[in-house]
Amino acid sequence: MTINEFVPLTVIAQLAGISRQAVWKACQRGNWRGHSLEVRVVRGKGGNAGKQYLVNSTSLPLELQLRLTPVEISVQNRPKPIARRGRRHRADKGKKRVVISRQWDALVPFDPVTKARIAEDLKQEIRGLLAAGAAWGHVKVLARNFLVATTRSWGFRPSDPASFEQACSIPWTLVSEELHYRKVHQFRTNRKAYEDSRPRGRRSIEGMRPMELVVGDVHPIDIHLTRADGSICTAKLIGFLDWATGRVWCDLIAFDTRGGVNNRDVIEVFAAMVEHPAFGLPEALYIDNGKEYGFATYLDDAMTLTVPGFHGPGRSMRVINALSYNAPAKPIERWFGDFESRYLSTLPGWIAGNRMNKRQEAIGRTVAPYGTFEDFVPAFFGLLKAYHSVPMGKQSGLKGLSPNTTFQKQVAAGWSAITMSRDEVRAAVSRRVERTVIQGAIKLRGRRWTCEELWQYKQDKVLVCEPVYHAPAELLVLDMKGNRLGIATPDVALHPLDHRGAQSTAARAKAHRDAIAEMVRSVPKIDVAARLIALGQDQPDIIPNQATGKMLFDPSERPARIVMPKKPLISEERRREQDERIAAQMDLVKRIVG
């Protein structure tokens, strides 16, 4: 394409995939996507009041320049209006002829290189102010002061300070060209807004199976409800969205006092979904990093049904944690907003989504509550049922079908769920602890637990799946290799006269006896003593080496004989002690008497 060709706004709009009005606004600003636009206005038919805007192709972003085709070039090269025929091009056409402003350029007697350096420093100052979050008016004032100080620092001494400061006023075009640096401030201070506006790849649900990817989240319901004590509250929604069909499995929870959703609440809703034949076990679960989803760290490994400890068809589930500030990546966030605005807003008591600026029925009077939580639950699920049956827009992923119709097509094609009981889900959300089997039972949390499999267990140690977030009613017991043994229940102590105690004891004894008897039948009988005797007899005799010499000892050369003292009899010792006591007493008497 030749240089300096001018393109109509309609062509630019078609290339960029936006409206002509958006391009026209960019022309009014003189800036688009960080590029200064060179715009010409010519008189002709059509356009805005007979005006037609043309943009120099070289001032467009490079990606749009590359999209221009010869067909569009021919549009640009059509006969020029009479008002433009015969006009010569300037030698400096397309180049910026004003450094900062006409007043400043004329007043400051610096060479072009110095002026360019000052202009570049000013541009960096404006960018830094915008990146720091300064308002438009503040940017112009602070940038003007910067330009005054910088110009003076280069040695300029104005004769009229007032005129000089007036000449240092910042043109709006200098600020508008750098407005995109406000995104730096947004990135630093409002990460959610930045993440919502950043470029994203497109996603398609074409070919996805039901429950192939399920997205979970917790959302506050913007409808006023009343507690038993008359105070106002709102409910919380725990939801799981089947991305492929748009169906939502959810439940509501309300608190008598201030409180938040915890792991146990989310587990119960998830377990109910996994147990339902229309939903079942997800292939992948996409959730936040919030503390209420801590249970999912256990699901990542334990929900693989083919591992030892669980039974059922081969199916595993991956747990995917969402990135921070990445709400647009979760379709359930969009579903929350859509369901609120299209369905919940039809109910009395709706306060809209802005909690800081709630709707008011009249000035100074907040919206009256819908009723109690018990009143609200059936209304909510009635609206949810309506949502499932209403067709989506043709531009949506469901292509104009309702969630129920989409799911029905998948069922007709042969899809079926893989379900799991609530107890198994609760057991999956557990940690494995080692316990010793004593008399067919184990101890956990101060209680004894037992099952028939433990009565027959022949080893000493087992692994117990201890629920992390629940008080267990049952325990999944595994052997030390991770293989499933059984479900243990509390070992209840019975009254000595209760006949069930005798029956239980007999059953346990029989089970253990049968297990030992099976072990007896499975091993050969061996006479260990005979084996040891045979082992000794099979060993070869050890023949010692011939003695090197023989030592002799002459008794006559011994220095002394060793004679062991004779132990006195007990009676002699007593008599000698008695004589010694009598003699001592007699000596004492003689000294006293004289």
Side-chain angles (χ1 to χ4, degrees), residues 1-45:
M1 185 178 70
T2 59
I3 300 177
N4 293 344
E5 293 291 353
F6 284 79
V7 186
L9 303 191
T10 53
V11 174
I12 299 175
Q14 183 177 4
L15 293 176
I18 60 177
S19 66
R20 181 188 177 281
Q21 184 71 9
V23 181
W24 179 81
K25 290 181 179 179
C27 292
Q28 297 297 310
R29 295 192 306 267
N31 176 276
W32 187 35
R33 297 181 181 177
H35 294 263
S36 297
L37 299 179
E38 183 180 351
V39 182
R40 287 186 176 179
V41 181
V42 296
R43 295 288 179 177
K45 295 182 179 180

Side-chain angles (χ1 to χ4, degrees), residues 89 114 128 159 186 224 234 236 296 333 337 370 393 484 488 500 522:
H89 295 294
T114 302
S159 58
Q186 184 187 63
H224 272 166
T234 57
K236 295 290 182 65
E333 293 279 1
Y370 177 87
R484 179 192 180 105
R500 293 176 299 174
S522 65

Side-chain angles (χ1 to χ4, degrees), residues 75 78 80-81 104 127 131 218 239 241 293 337 358 397 468-469 553:
V75 173
R78 65 184 182 275
K80 297 180 180 179
W104 186 89
R127 290 174 176 176
V218 177
L241 170 69
Y293 298 103
K358 300 177 182 179
V468 181
Y469 304 104
F553 183 71

Side-chain angles (χ1 to χ4, degrees), residues 351-496:
I351 58 176
N354 189 348
R355 299 296 182 94
M356 304 305 296
N357 184 24
K358 300 177 182 179
R359 296 178 65 196
Q360 296 182 340
E361 294 181 342
I363 301 299
R365 187 175 65 187
T366 59
V367 175
Y370 177 87
T372 65
F373 176 73
E374 291 73 17
D375 297 331
F376 173 66
V377 169
F380 174 87
F381 284 101
L383 293 175
L384 182 64
K385 191 172 183 180
Y387 156 78
H388 282 142
S389 61
V390 173
M392 301 289 103
K394 292 189 178 297
Q395 300 300 321
S396 68
L398 300 186
K399 307 297 184 184
L401 301 179
S402 69
N404 282 345
T405 303
T406 304
F407 177 63
Q408 184 61 45
K409 291 176 62 177
Q410 294 282 359
V411 171
W415 183 87
S416 60
I418 293 180
T419 60
M420 194 174 187
S421 70
R422 296 196 188 196
D423 290 336
E424 295 257 356
V425 174
R426 293 164 181 159
V429 186
S430 61
R431 63 171 73 92
R432 294 185 180 186
V433 295
E434 183 179 306
R435 287 295 183 268
T436 301
V437 180
I438 301 175
Q439 294 182 339
I442 57 175
K443 283 189 175 182
L444 184 72
R445 297 188 181 183
R447 302 183 69 181
R448 281 173 56 92
W449 304 78
T450 189
C451 61
E452 186 174 352
E453 290 79 8
L454 286 177
W455 304 343
Q456 303 173 1
Y457 194 60
K458 310 170 189 68
Q459 301 181 27
D460 297 329
K461 300 288 185 178
V462 293
L463 295 175
V464 181
C465 295
E466 179 186 13
V468 181
Y469 304 104
H470 290 79
E474 297 178 340
L475 293 175
L476 177 63
V477 182
L478 317 173
D479 64 17
M480 295 305 294
K481 295 182 179 180
N483 298 314
R484 179 192 180 105
L485 287 179
I487 300 294
T489 55
D491 190 8
V492 181
L494 300 175
H495 191 275

Side-chain angles (χ1 to χ4, degrees), residues 2 57 71 94-95 117 131 140 161 199 214 237 259 268 279 307 311 338 372 427 451 455 504 513 563:
T2 59
S57 60
V71 175
K95 298 181 181 180
R117 293 183 62 178
K140 293 194 66 176
V214 172
L237 169 66
E268 289 303 309
F279 285 83
V307 302
H311 55 79
D338 180 74
T372 65
C451 61
W455 304 343
S504 176
R513 197 165 47 245
V563 179

Side-chain angles (χ1 to χ4, degrees), residues 553-570:
F553 183 71
D554 187 357
S556 63
E557 296 181 358
R558 289 184 296 188
R561 288 177 60 84
I562 299 175
V563 179
M564 296 297 293
K566 183 178 180 182
K567 186 177 182 181
L569 297 176
I570 297 177

